[in-house]
Amino acid sequence: MTNVSELTDRARGVMVGLACGDALGAPVEFKSREEIRRLFPDGVREFGRGGWMNVEPGELTDDSRMAIDLAEVLGADGPLDMTELARRFVAWVEEGPKDVGNTTAAAISNLRSGGAWQEAGERALAAIGERGAASNGSLMRAAPVAIRYWNDPAALRAASLDTSRITHAEPRCQWACVALNQAIAHALRGGPADDLVDAALTGVEVGAVIDAVRRTDDLDSADLRGSGYVLNALQIAFWAVHHQSSFEECVVAAVMIGDDTDTNAAVTGALAGALYGYDAIPARWASAVQSHDRLVGLADRLLAQSIN
């Protein structure tokens, strides 16, 4: 079992790592791996500007913003208030963000029209279909659940399922969030890296999620796909932490897969942050990423709630 100092370092690594991955990948989102390699032969290693969202260096996208909203709700006193999470998601969309995923937008539209949070994601799934709705929009923001419930497996599983299905009710999305959060919680507890996959898949009920994670040890980067399918993002994260040997290399490798680069790197950054800790994040990234102090404060708040 990790001590409090190590636990704090790893929890901060999750929140800041997620944001750093988001910011690193944002300027090259939707570029192919071939184009990214041509532009960045040594890898994308610095926060850039531009891209289709015209971001500034270190700017965060919907990935981090939704994770922050989730973390603030999880950090409040009392049980998880899903109605408050729904209110925050609606308020965020009303701000006019640069990007909102299709499934997320459909679900939040249902919330805005007065639908219950339990039904919003289901209605989006029915409208879009399971193929289109099995996207990565709940996985990208899932990690705060792992910090809040790292020491309560049953609560972690229930919160992972609920905080996914408010927008992404497709079972692969819900159980991918469980798998990611169980892996992060394992790392937060100081569990052996060799047991990460087994820890992630404990009790997972969807075969496609199990297969996607189990296969990552044997995959090469050329086997990975970076499009917005939820299991692509999950595979990239587990592949990166298995095949790379530092936080930076994990996140850079995720970006270099191409396509949905900010989300893939955000998910990878959260998992790698849990394994390597905050102190392993390059200082040039941590000092420049937007909302750094807020992210650190949220990690500390979630830990305090979990211990109390």
Side-chain angles (χ1 to χ4, degrees):
M1 179 68 70
T2 189
N3 62 41
V4 173
S5 176
E6 292 171 345
L7 181 59
T8 299
D9 182 62
R10 293 176 190 273
R12 291 176 175 181
V14 172
M15 293 299 296
V16 178
L18 185 158
C20 285
D22 181 17
L24 191 71
V28 294
E29 187 182 19
F30 300 141
K31 294 185 184 298
S32 69
R33 75 177 76 201
E34 293 78 16
E35 185 175 4
I36 295 173
R37 287 172 182 169
R38 179 176 58 80
L39 294 170
F40 302 93
D42 297 322
V44 180
R45 296 186 179 275
E46 307 299 334
F47 294 158
R49 59 167 39 89
W52 78 271
M53 288 184 287
N54 194 29
V55 297
E56 293 298 317
E59 183 177 340
L60 303 180
T61 76
D62 55 325
D63 301 57
S64 299
R65 172 55 192 272
M66 297 191 83
I68 287 170
D69 280 343
L70 175 55
E72 289 187 337
V73 172
L74 287 163
D77 292 335
L80 172 59
D81 187 343
M82 291 296 298
T83 301
E84 173 61 13
L85 184 63
R87 187 196 68 77
R88 285 175 178 262
F89 284 173
V90 168
W92 166 66
V93 165
E94 290 176 347
E95 292 172 9
K98 292 180 178 180
D99 185 28
V100 183
N102 292 336
T103 305
T104 298
I108 293 177
S109 176
N110 294 330
L111 293 171
R112 292 177 74 182
S113 64
W117 73 264
Q118 298 94 332
E119 301 171 357
E122 295 285 356
R123 289 172 61 189
L125 172 58
I128 296 172
E130 65 179 21
R131 181 180 177 87
S135 54
N136 55 25
S138 61
L139 188 70
M140 70 187 190
R141 65 176 189 250
V145 171
I147 306 175
R148 174 62 181 84
Y149 298 115
W150 64 275
N151 57 354
D152 189 341
L156 181 148
R157 185 175 302 178
S160 297
L161 294 170
D162 281 347
T163 58
S164 176
R165 75 182 177 112
I166 188 174
T167 57
H168 290 69
E170 212 282 338
R172 286 168 290 182
C173 299
Q174 293 191 69
W175 287 97
C177 290
V178 173
L180 176 67
N181 282 334
Q182 290 186 155
I184 292 172
H186 175 78
L188 290 172
R189 293 191 295 267
D194 289 346
D195 296 337
L196 189 70
V197 168
D198 287 341
L201 297 178
T202 300
V204 170
E205 298 179 1
V206 174
V209 175
I210 296 169
D211 292 343
V213 175
R214 291 235 178 261
R215 291 182 59 228
T216 52
D217 289 1
D218 300 324
L219 296 177
D220 183 80
S221 62
D223 300 318
L224 299 167
R225 297 292 176 267
S227 63
Y229 176 42
V230 63
L231 298 187
N232 288 345
L234 189 67
Q235 275 197 326
I236 288 169
F238 278 88
W239 168 83
V241 300
H242 180 78
H243 290 277
Q244 307 301 323
S245 58
S246 71
F247 177 89
E248 179 172 349
E249 295 305 324
C250 286
V251 176
V252 170
V255 173
M256 298 305 290
I257 301 300
D259 295 317
D260 200 356
T261 48
D262 56 343
T263 293
N264 295 332
V267 176
T268 300
L271 182 57
L275 288 165
Y276 289 102
Y278 173 85
D279 287 345
I281 297 173
R284 69 186 190 280
W285 291 357
S287 64
V289 73
Q290 192 179 70
S291 301
H292 169 272
D293 292 352
R294 185 180 185 185
L295 292 158
V296 169
L298 284 169
D300 292 351
R301 173 66 175 167
L302 291 170
L303 272 189
Q305 289 289 68
S306 73
I307 293 169
N308 292 337

